[in-house]
Amino acid sequence: DEIGLIPCPEARYNRSPIVLVENKLGVESWCVKFLLPYVHNKLLLYRQRKQWLNKDELIDITCTLLLLNPDFTTAWNVRKELILSGTLNPLKDLHLGKLALTKFPKSPETWIHRRWVLQQLIQENSLPSLVTKGNLGAAPVERIHRLVQEEMNICSEAAGRYPSNYNAWSHRIWVLQHLGKLTVKVLLDELSSTKYWVSMHVSDHSGFHYRQFLLKSLIGRTVTDNNVLVQNQMVNEQNPSLQKEEESAGAEAACAEEQSVDLPRCLEEELELCTELIDTYPGHETLWCHSDETLNNSHHSPATSHMAQAMDVDGLNESSSKQGYTQETKRLKRAPMQDSLGPEMEYQFIDKVLSTCRDVDQARFATAYRKWLLTFLGQ
């Protein structure tokens, strides 16, 4: 489950340079300068049709080459051909990529090939083949969920091995979009699971950018869900006879998909996280930038304006028709506006930082944050 080089300038003993201890694969460094050119030239001769290799030899040569140099595109392309021909199990390539990422966590070609393999599994409806001996009876949805969790774990490990690993976080976003389908449950789970990680990597901008993606995706889902709610209310007003049937069906669907989310609360908790981390770890610009973006989302997101409009739906219905007054619009109207996300609290926090901090960078970031509040938000 991990590969690495063992520093060894020369062969001191007459033994194999490959060491395997408790599922950890080590390669003595002296042999790389001989092994890598050998497999590289052999693969190039095969591609130039100057040397014939059978399928097993191709698999072994490309595997060796990619573990030593995972950014060699030709080797990945050969394995793509083997997968498409049915010779190579795509799951083996997922495992090979996982192993290569333990040594080269930022390898772009490895992440690209990994997404290609996942696409093949999705398109060919091969997800049932992902079942292991321990979950033969698992439902398809559960299998997809386990696949998503596996990818999330790999991304977390790669992000921890290489700072600001943009390729790993981009792959994580891709998995959510194509496998997780950006459901509210998955988004909330990711917000919760990455909270500790970003708290331990306060200078990693890529990790906080990922959390901004999660928040914006939640905002987008909230807008969509609210639009569906308004449309259903309009249909019920026009067809009162269908209201009871649709109410029961809608309740079941809402319960099944778990689409409810307290978006203002999520944004408030994110600002609280920023405040706590800024106090604990002064002098990190990433935290201030994340606070900027979170506050911007809370004040200028379409979801916030849509929610404000939804709170006035009751008044519009009163002037036009009493039939549109439902429990949902009544709940929306009496919902309090979230004042805790206002700039006033941010100004108080900035004043506290400037009056107590002794870090020059922290004071500079706080001053820039105040300027941003004054200019961009117009406060």
Side-chain angles (χ1 to χ4, degrees):
D1 55 8
E2 186 176 350
I3 186 174
L5 289 179
I6 302 175
C8 186
E10 57 184 14
R12 297 181 179 180
Y13 306 99
N14 185 19
R15 65 183 185 188
S16 172
I18 307 300
V19 180
L20 180 63
V21 179
E22 297 181 356
N23 294 326
K24 311 297 181 182
L25 180 63
V27 181
E28 293 184 356
S29 58
W30 68 266
C31 75
V32 175
K33 60 183 179 182
F34 302 106
L35 183 58
L36 183 57
Y38 172 77
V39 292
H40 180 270
N41 292 333
K42 204 160 188 176
L43 183 62
L44 289 183
L45 289 175
Y46 168 79
R47 295 296 282 182
Q48 296 169 0
R49 301 181 184 277
K50 295 180 180 180
Q51 181 177 354
W52 170 252
L53 297 174
N54 59 41
K55 296 177 181 179
D56 292 335
E57 290 174 331
L58 273 177
I59 293 175
D60 292 340
I61 287 178
T62 54
C63 178
T64 303
L65 180 55
L66 291 169
L67 288 178
L68 298 176
N69 179 20
D71 288 328
F72 190 61
T73 309
T74 302
W76 288 121
N77 289 338
V78 170
R79 295 184 74 88
K80 286 184 176 71
E81 296 172 358
L82 294 174
I83 291 175
L84 292 176
S85 65
T87 304
L88 180 61
N89 186 344
L91 295 180
K92 290 187 176 181
D93 256 24
L94 289 180
H95 183 72
L96 174 63
K98 177 182 177 181
L99 186 59
L101 289 171
T102 60
K103 174 61 179 174
F104 306 94
K106 202 178 179 180
S107 168
E109 294 299 328
T110 305
W111 292 112
I112 291 171
H113 183 75
R114 193 170 193 85
R115 287 192 286 273
W116 182 87
V117 173
L118 291 172
Q119 283 181 327
Q120 298 304 309
L121 293 173
I122 297 173
Q123 293 173 0
E124 298 176 4
N125 195 24
S126 301
L127 284 175
S129 65
L130 297 174
V131 187
T132 61
K133 294 181 179 180
N135 60 344
L136 290 175
V141 175
E142 186 178 351
R143 295 171 192 159
I144 296 176
H145 176 70
R146 292 181 181 180
L147 181 60
V148 171
Q149 287 301 118
E150 174 68 14
E151 293 301 307
M152 296 297 102
N153 293 336
I154 293 173
C155 291
S156 295
E157 292 179 2
R161 294 176 185 273
Y162 196 100
S164 295
N165 194 338
Y166 173 80
N167 294 321
W169 292 106
S170 297
H171 179 78
R172 193 165 187 152
I173 291 175
W174 184 92
V175 170
L176 287 186
Q177 292 173 330
H178 293 81
L179 293 179
K181 303 302 182 182
L182 294 179
T183 62
V184 168
K185 182 180 184 305
V186 171
L187 293 173
L188 291 177
D189 288 345
E190 281 296 284
L191 270 178
S192 176
S193 64
T194 57
K195 184 176 180 179
Y196 176 78
W197 195 96
V198 296
S199 298
M200 296 293 102
H201 301 78
V202 292
S203 292
D204 197 309
H205 181 75
S206 296
F208 284 98
H209 177 268
Y210 177 72
R211 290 185 69 83
Q212 287 297 330
F213 166 79
L214 296 176
L215 292 172
K216 290 178 181 179
S217 299
L218 281 173
I219 291 172
R221 291 307 298 259
T222 303
V223 171
T224 302
D225 295 340
N226 287 341
N227 288 338
V228 172
L229 175 62
V230 173
Q231 291 176 2
N232 290 340
Q233 291 174 356
M234 294 175 63
V235 171
N236 291 336
E237 292 172 10
Q238 297 174 1
N239 302 279
S241 60
L242 300 177
Q243 183 172 357
K244 293 183 178 180
E245 297 179 0
E246 293 183 353
E247 282 180 355
S248 60
E252 293 178 358
C255 181
E257 297 188 6
E258 301 177 351
Q259 294 294 320
S260 61
V261 57
D262 188 354
L263 183 59
R265 180 57 186 165
C266 289
L267 294 170
E268 182 179 357
E269 289 178 350
E270 197 67 17
L271 278 177
E272 291 175 355
L273 174 64
C274 293
T275 301
E276 179 183 350
L277 293 179
I278 289 173
D279 281 337
T280 307
Y281 306 100
H284 291 274
E285 188 176 13
T286 300
L287 301 175
W288 290 96
C289 293
H290 185 60
S291 182
D292 289 353
E293 193 66 24
T294 303
L295 189 62
N296 181 39
N297 287 334
S298 67
H299 283 270
H300 296 85
S301 67
T304 304
S305 60
H306 186 91
M307 291 168 67
Q309 295 174 4
M311 294 176 188
D312 294 331
V313 169
D314 180 33
L316 295 175
N317 289 335
E318 287 178 356
S319 60
S320 58
S321 172
K322 296 295 183 180
Q323 294 179 353
Y325 191 89
T326 63
Q327 287 298 114
E328 184 63 26
T329 56
K330 182 178 180 180
R331 182 187 66 80
L332 289 172
K333 184 179 180 181
R334 69 169 178 260
M337 293 296 291
Q338 299 292 329
D339 295 331
S340 58
L341 298 182
E344 292 78 12
M345 293 192 64
E346 295 302 303
Y347 286 132
Q348 295 175 8
F349 172 66
I350 294 173
D351 292 337
K352 175 187 174 184
V353 170
L354 291 175
S355 62
T356 59
C357 79
R358 298 180 180 180
D359 187 278
V360 177
D361 291 333
Q362 180 84 324
R364 179 165 56 89
F365 297 146
T367 303
Y369 187 44
R370 178 194 290 276
K371 183 178 180 180
W372 177 80
L373 286 174
L374 290 171
T375 56
F376 188 78
L377 294 181
Q379 298 293 332

